Amino acid sequence: MTRLPTVSDVATAAGVSRQTVSNVLNAPDVVRPETRERVLAAVSELGYRPHASARRLRTQQSSTIGIRLDPMTDGISGVVLDRFLHALTAQADALGLRVMLFTAAGPEEEIAQFRRLSDGADVDAFVLTSTFEGDPRTEWLIEHGQRFVTFGRPWGVDDMEDPQHLWVDVDGRAGLRAATRHLLDEGLRRIAYVGWPSPSGTGDDRHAGWRETMREAGLDDDELDALEARTPEGVPHGAEALRAVEAATGGAVEGVVCSSDSLALGALLAARGRYPVIGYDNTPVAASIGMSSVDQPLEQVATGVLELLTGAHGGRVRHDGEPVGDPRHRLLEPRLVPRELQVAPA
Amino acid sequence: MTRLPTVSDVATAAGVSRQTVSNVLNAPDVVRPETRERVLAAVSELGYRPHASARRLRTQQSSTIGIRLDPMTDGISGVVLDRFLHALTAQADALGLRVMLFTAAGPEEEIAQFRRLSDGADVDAFVLTSTFEGDPRTEWLIEHGQRFVTFGRPWGVDDMEDPQHLWVDVDGRAGLRAATRHLLDEGLRRIAYVGWPSPSGTGDDRHAGWRETMREAGLDDDELDALEARTPEGVPHGAEALRAVEAATGGAVEGVVCSSDSLALGALLAARGRYPVIGYDNTPVAASIGMSSVDQPLEQVATGVLELLTGAHGGRVRHDGEPVGDPRHRLLEPRLVPRELQVAPA
DNA sequence: CTGTTAGCGCATTCAC
DNA sequence: GTGAATGCGCTAACAG
């Protein structure tokens, strides 16, 4: 591994000045075609590639996105971040952006990392995941003028419309509506809900999707109260919760929708194949055992995040000239992936 | 977000030259204590932090590790990379190293990324995961003098001892030996094995662990042949495979060890609680349903990878003065995590 | 111990 | 169109 070629080397090889080389790379149309060809030939012959740090220093932008790797791999749903990260990295690369990782034990420590990374000009934008109500991170970022986008809505009432806060999220309510409707359409009626306890931004949102769909189907509040169970994340909790609902309804359950695949897996085991269970997140577990699940459009989330980050949305209009929604956030629709149980636990 | 403070700013504030500031930060003992104090005070007052790109340009090292984010998290075991990545990032940070992500659809494309990242001086070391026999990636890296460490042994016979190839791996054979012994110690005898088809470096390694332990326990080859099933990754495959073993042995199975949690989950569902099943990777799924599994010491893997990468292993000796094995690689021992089934699928 | 000087590789002024 | 100069912020040579 000898010294890497520099602009000067390319210039010498092509018989032009350093400058011209720089122009060819950054403003191609300003250079005469034949000169350009010659320079490009030299570039590929020498295997030249601009020195990232030199460019970043000169341009004063790192073109690097910082994202925290969640410590919590507790839940089965940890894979969601993983898939998102993959999509984000791939799409960022296409835009000439890099993704840099960091870790933090909690919000405070994450803020300390924001400070380190931004003060050191390591990173010039952040992507946050799993936002929660009263999230101190976004507050800090706004206060310090940092560029960022969250995957997840700001659940606090005030923040929701903060123009400084760009976000992309998936409409969990619509997801649960779709799941519930799917079961209703199969002629099932007493669809139970197993989800996280309130208050929880995402949890309450998904719960609402089930509840309102069931009401539309004609069930009254008493029936619905008996059909729902709120419980913390975890497979055993899912199983317990479903058994509780069965007890409360006299075993009249005909189907279940859940706020996560973990809970769904528990419910599935408790249901023992007597009726369908639908999960959320479309994790590998769901796929492998053949459980239906709501899939988040992670590729689109990544696209949205990058658009918001790079400001590629500014003044966008549709063909008919109408502006494309609010340019400060995106709410994406998830998709139900219906499946037939592959491995019956009976 | 105004302009970031530079060394000059700190120097002015502390009433010293730029240099001294640099010295305080990079060679503290070369500066008189009182001056040092004064400089450090200015540093923290201004919130100064060295500009990463400037430093990288100057020192000609990016202090950045590149790692590919695996495309498919198909298997349940995808979480393993995730946990490893987390450990790696956290420990790298403590060493002043950053972790940069990239993606690639296959080995060829990954090599193209190696080229881009190294030619651009974005990264000065790579960490590879899931190596396989005849892996073209390591060959390329060695040929091009790139610094790298693989998480996973080079499975080819020739490469195994290549002094250029630093690696860290987990002793899957020992893992399966521990799992098998655990069941034998409980008085069980006819322990089945469900694992990946041969040839597969990791697969054959784990298989050997089971097989040799069973032989030591006195079972003969015919019995063992009937007790083992080799099948591709996947929950349904695990279930099928176990049923096949049951058929072949007349239902005499008393326990199962597997080469992955996916297969184990399938086996577990097929076993319906009649006997214990042990998985591999200790994924969240295993933890949540209460399935025993072999845990890879990912924190230690990360430690080993970084030691090898930074060359911090040179000439290390133990308390008693004995050298600590071969400094070019590490083979770590996994640990069995025994559990009681939480959610019986019956 | 401290200050001066000189680049790292690039992109962005300006003159030609 | 092309060439020469300048500086991004830092550290590593030196000289005092």
Side-chain angles (χ1 to χ4, degrees):
Chain A
M1 209 200 120
T2 60
R3 211 181 99 273
L4 293 168
T6 77
V7 248
S8 303
D9 299 327
V10 175
T12 309
V16 298
S17 76
R18 293 213 309 247
Q19 205 29 35
T20 312
V21 177
S22 186
N23 281 338
V24 168
L25 298 174
N26 303 307
D29 25 305
V30 115
V31 176
R32 196 191 327 157
E34 60 184 71
T35 316
R36 195 193 313 158
E37 293 297 323
R38 198 149 36 94
V39 172
L40 289 176
V43 163
S44 70
E45 189 192 349
L46 296 179
Y48 167 78
R49 188 161 282 284
H51 191 287
S53 298
R55 168 176 286 179
R56 295 204 250 268
L57 173 59
R58 185 58 178 95
T59 62
Q60 295 287 53
Q61 47 186 5
S62 65
S63 301
T64 301
I65 297 168
I67 185 168
R68 166 189 179 191
L69 207 53
D70 268 22
M72 174 282 291
T73 304
D74 285 359
I76 292 176
S77 314
V79 204
V80 172
L81 174 65
D82 214 55
R83 285 208 292 145
F84 170 62
L85 208 51
H86 186 85
L88 185 72
T89 304
Q91 294 184 32
D93 185 84
L95 295 171
L97 300 174
R98 319 246 91 127
V99 175
M100 185 175 277
L101 256 30
F102 64 93
T103 62
E108 297 312 318
E109 205 173 302
E110 186 168 0
I111 289 174
Q113 291 280 35
F114 289 162
R115 180 174 281 121
R116 289 185 43 188
L117 259 15
S118 61
D119 283 355
D122 255 305
V123 146
D124 46 29
F126 293 96
V127 171
L128 310 206
T129 56
S130 31
T131 52
F132 50 92
E133 189 165 345
D135 199 325
R137 303 174 300 167
T138 53
E139 194 182 336
W140 187 93
L141 289 167
I142 290 174
E143 206 164 281
H144 291 73
Q146 292 297 318
R147 213 170 172 70
F148 73 96
V149 175
T150 65
F151 171 12
R153 272 160 280 183
W155 290 104
V157 187
D158 296 346
D159 320 320
M160 191 66 113
E161 291 304 324
D162 189 327
Q164 303 264 48
H165 188 159
L166 311 180
W167 56 263
V168 178
D169 206 357
V170 174
D171 192 345
R173 192 159 136 186
L176 260 101
R177 218 154 39 209
T180 308
R181 169 118 334 267
H182 179 75
L183 295 183
L184 287 171
D185 286 351
E186 287 188 349
L188 275 18
R189 179 178 165 80
R190 302 185 64 81
I191 317 294
Y193 172 81
V194 174
W196 305 318
S198 192
S200 146
T202 39
D204 294 344
D205 190 45
R206 294 178 192 178
H207 171 255
W210 164 76
R211 186 110 185 174
E212 70 193 24
T213 307
M214 292 295 278
R215 292 216 51 170
E216 286 164 21
L219 283 87
D220 64 40
D221 280 334
D222 288 340
E223 292 176 294
L224 294 181
D225 287 345
L227 279 169
E228 77 174 54
R230 314 290 289 263
T231 180
E233 181 71 342
V235 177
H237 288 136
E240 285 164 27
L242 182 55
R243 291 192 185 112
V245 171
E246 287 196 332
T249 57
V253 176
E254 296 172 9
V256 192
V257 294
C258 304
S259 68
S260 79
D261 271 1
S262 293
L263 291 177
L265 178 57
L268 188 81
L269 292 171
R272 270 173 300 151
R274 290 170 296 160
Y275 44 79
V277 175
I278 301 184
Y280 196 104
D281 273 347
N282 193 26
T283 61
V285 188
S288 59
I289 63 180
M291 178 172 75
S292 301
S293 191
V294 176
D295 186 66
Q296 302 203 44
L298 267 9
E299 290 279 348
Q300 291 177 49
V301 173
T303 305
V305 164
L306 290 171
E307 282 179 3
L308 259 29
L309 225 40
T310 56
H313 61 298
R316 263 192 347 145
V317 291
R318 289 189 309 198
H319 310 298
D320 55 11
E322 287 297 310
V324 179
D326 188 327
R328 297 194 314 275
H329 50 253
R330 303 250 191 299
L331 187 58
L332 304 170
E333 195 102 351
R335 185 177 56 91
L336 175 69
V337 179
R339 291 200 179 87
E340 295 300 323
L341 226 50
Q342 292 291 326
V343 187
Chain B
M1 212 198 113
T2 60
R3 209 181 103 273
L4 293 168
T6 78
V7 251
S8 303
D9 298 328
V10 176
T12 310
V16 298
S17 76
R18 292 212 310 248
Q19 208 47 9
T20 312
V21 177
S22 185
N23 282 338
V24 168
L25 298 174
N26 303 307
D29 26 306
V30 112
V31 176
R32 195 193 328 160
E34 59 184 73
T35 317
R36 196 194 313 158
E37 294 297 323
R38 198 148 39 94
V39 172
L40 289 177
V43 164
S44 70
E45 190 192 347
L46 295 179
Y48 167 78
R49 188 161 280 286
H51 191 287
S53 298
R55 167 176 285 180
R56 295 203 248 268
L57 173 59
R58 186 59 177 100
T59 62
Q60 295 287 53
Q61 48 186 6
S62 66
S63 300
T64 302
I65 297 167
I67 185 168
R68 167 191 177 188
L69 206 55
D70 270 18
M72 258 309 107
T73 306
D74 260 10
I76 291 176
S77 314
V79 204
V80 172
L81 173 65
D82 212 56
R83 285 208 291 145
F84 170 63
L85 208 52
H86 187 84
L88 185 72
T89 304
Q91 295 184 33
D93 184 85
L95 296 171
L97 300 174
R98 319 247 89 127
V99 175
M100 185 175 276
L101 256 31
F102 63 94
T103 62
E108 297 312 318
E109 206 173 303
E110 186 168 0
I111 288 175
Q113 291 279 36
F114 289 162
R115 181 174 280 123
R116 288 185 44 188
L117 259 15
S118 60
D119 284 354
D122 255 304
V123 146
D124 45 29
F126 292 97
V127 171
L128 309 207
T129 57
S130 30
T131 53
F132 49 91
E133 189 165 344
D135 200 325
R137 302 173 302 166
T138 54
E139 194 182 338
W140 189 93
L141 290 167
I142 290 173
E143 205 164 285
H144 291 74
Q146 292 297 318
R147 211 172 173 71
F148 74 96
V149 175
T150 64
F151 173 10
R153 272 160 281 184
W155 291 103
V157 187
D158 297 344
D159 319 320
M160 191 65 113
E161 291 304 323
D162 189 325
Q164 303 264 46
H165 187 160
L166 311 179
W167 55 262
V168 178
D169 206 357
V170 174
D171 192 346
R173 193 158 135 185
L176 260 102
R177 218 154 37 209
T180 308
R181 167 115 339 263
H182 179 76
L183 295 182
L184 287 171
D185 287 350
E186 288 188 351
L188 275 19
R189 179 178 165 80
R190 302 185 64 81
I191 317 295
Y193 172 80
V194 174
W196 304 319
S198 192
S200 146
T202 40
D204 294 343
D205 191 45
R206 294 177 192 179
H207 172 256
W210 164 77
R211 186 109 184 175
E212 70 193 23
T213 306
M214 291 295 280
R215 291 216 52 169
E216 287 163 21
L219 282 88
D220 64 37
D221 279 334
D222 286 343
E223 291 177 292
L224 294 180
D225 286 345
L227 279 169
E228 76 173 55
R230 314 289 291 261
T231 180
E233 180 71 342
V235 176
H237 287 136
E240 283 165 28
L242 182 55
R243 291 192 185 111
V245 172
E246 287 196 333
T249 57
V253 177
E254 296 171 10
V256 191
V257 294
C258 304
S259 68
S260 78
D261 272 1
S262 293
L263 291 177
L265 179 57
L268 188 82
L269 292 171
R272 270 173 302 151
R274 290 171 296 162
Y275 44 78
V277 175
I278 301 185
Y280 196 104
D281 272 347
N282 193 25
T283 60
V285 188
S288 59
I289 63 179
M291 178 171 75
S292 301
S293 191
V294 176
D295 186 65
Q296 303 203 44
L298 268 8
E299 291 278 347
Q300 292 177 47
V301 173
T303 305
V305 164
L306 289 171
E307 282 179 3
L308 259 29
L309 224 41
T310 57
H313 61 298
R316 264 197 340 152
V317 292
R318 287 189 310 199
H319 310 297
D320 55 10
E322 287 298 309
V324 180
D326 188 327
R328 298 195 312 276
H329 49 253
R330 301 249 192 299
L331 188 58
L332 303 170
E333 194 103 350
R335 185 179 56 91
L336 175 68
V337 179
R339 291 200 180 87
E340 296 299 322
L341 226 50
Q342 292 293 327
V343 186

